[in-house]
Amino acid sequence: MPEFRLYNSMTRAVEPFVPADGETVRLYACGPTVYNPAHLGNFRTFLFGDLLRRALKLAGFKVRQVMNLTDVDDKIIKRATEQGKSIREVTEPVVGTFLADRDYLRIEPAEHYPRATDFIVEMVDLVRRLEQKGVAYQAEDKTVYFAIDKFPGYGRLSRLDTRELKTGARVAQDDYAKENAQDFALWKAATPNDEACGAAWDSPWGRGRPGWHLECSAMSMSLLGETMDIHTGGVDLVFPHHEDEIAQSEAATGKPFARFWCHGEFLLTDGAKMAKRVGNVASVQDLRAQQVSAAAVRHLMFSTHYRKQLNLSGPALEASIEAVRRVGDFADRLAAAPGGTPALAVAAETFRAEFDAALHDDLNAPRAQAALFVFINQANAELDKRGSDPGSLIAAREAFGRADAVLDIVPEREGVDASVAAWVEQQLEARKAARGRRDFAAADQIRKALEEKGIVVEDTAQGARWKTER
Ligand code: AMP
Ligand code: ZN
């Protein structure tokens, strides 16, 4: 197997990756802020995480993944206040939607989904440690801040120049721009609004609530240890979120927080970042309403490398719907084929090697998918020959199966189970044989019998294909 290589945002280089213990990858993904259902932009980042997770498993590693659910932050409190609800009342239904959307998109569940509000004790502990080390201080406004000039590594991930750091100045909001590289809030003094919506807890510094960045440091260190293998998120999180996570964690432990930082690029619509405030968001719900399969969405997201921007468009989605239809047809055909040819085994072996090489090369999913379609073409041509070699068929199924264990892009065939598919394939083989001996009456008979069962046969250059009538 080629070595597994990943781009590390910290070093800005593609580097060989192995987990620190040689066996289990400790993976942390910044998860959704649960005040609104996640949009497809968010899910591009989560699908990148899914691809990484599955590719690591294919490479033979075990994975222990944590994804946090941000259930207390400025936006959630604002929403709760507007609606006269508690933060829990705002976030719980959104968590439910998130998990359902995740399942719809076939994103493998992480091992842990900690909620920030369940880790208040750990967060308070971390702030206390930072205070003891002299890098955190409580200001006149009762909020506890992190003193960035006490942490020499501040700005390394986002390449901030020390001259750009505004030492002594403070920023209390959760999200802020690079120009405001200032002391940031670890623990925010509670306001009456916070109290009213259940977003305030006791602490050594008085009633308050955690800053956004703190939760990821506290939860990842609790669940994965002080140094994790890989930390993922979208590119917009590099500053300030990840920079601040590093500062808080490393100032407390004196150890590297994450060995690799991996960031996924944006999903755009009409050239603009998909974002709530831009008003150009599409949701998983929208896709379901249009009966777009998860397979097509996954194919589309994987058709562009995760470090490049991807524009969501109708034609691109149409192309993916068509592409996964071919994958589904092939899956059925492979499942039902009676045998293969020696050349099929060769094609399977070439595909297997190319697929792995692509994924090991900084998760090159577009290249991996291209290899799959080359294989599908070759294999279809070989299956047309109707060989009887069982070994090559097993090799083809195996190569396809392990690739699909990563991509997961076979669309569901509604109402057709495997035994029906196998029967249809048998009928098509018989029809082909009939045509081969120029018995067109028999061939037509078979087609009619299939049509009576709602199966439409279509003859293509690659052989007969079938689908169910809608
Ligand atoms: P949030 O719920 O805003 O904290 O975002 C959850 C994840 O989605 C983060 O990793 C963001 O970086 C990511 N994200 C937000 N917008 C986009 C987008 N348009 N394309 C890709 N990822 C995004
Ligand atoms: Zn985070």
Side-chain angles (χ1 to χ4, degrees), residues 109-125:
E111 279 64 28
H112 303 276
Y113 288 97
R115 288 165 166 79
T117 54
D118 289 336
F119 279 76
I120 301 292
V121 171
E122 288 79 357
M123 289 192 252
V124 167
D125 263 2

Side-chain angles (χ1 to χ4, degrees), residues 28-31 68 70 212-213 215-216 231-232 237 241-242 245:
Y28 187 89
C30 288
N68 65 303
T70 301
W212 171 34
H213 319 299
E215 63 175 280
C216 290
H231 194 312
T232 64
L237 298 188
H241 187 53
H242 291 164
E245 280 187 35

Side-chain angles (χ1 to χ4, degrees), residues 234-294:
V235 279
D236 55 337
L237 298 188
V238 172
F239 187 89
H241 187 53
H242 291 164
E243 198 68 75
D244 292 351
E245 280 187 35
I246 292 171
Q248 299 159 159
S249 313
E250 300 193 356
T253 67
K255 294 179 192 158
F257 177 51
R259 297 172 57 234
F260 274 69
W261 285 90
C262 299
H263 292 102
E265 254 298 348
F266 288 147
L267 180 71
L268 315 177
T269 13
D270 302 322
K273 178 193 171 189
M274 185 177 283
K276 260 260 114 74
R277 64 180 173 296
V278 183
N280 61 350
V281 296
S283 66
V284 172
Q285 205 48 52
D286 298 335
L287 292 178
R288 292 176 84 152
Q290 293 166 46
Q291 297 189 323
V292 177
S293 71

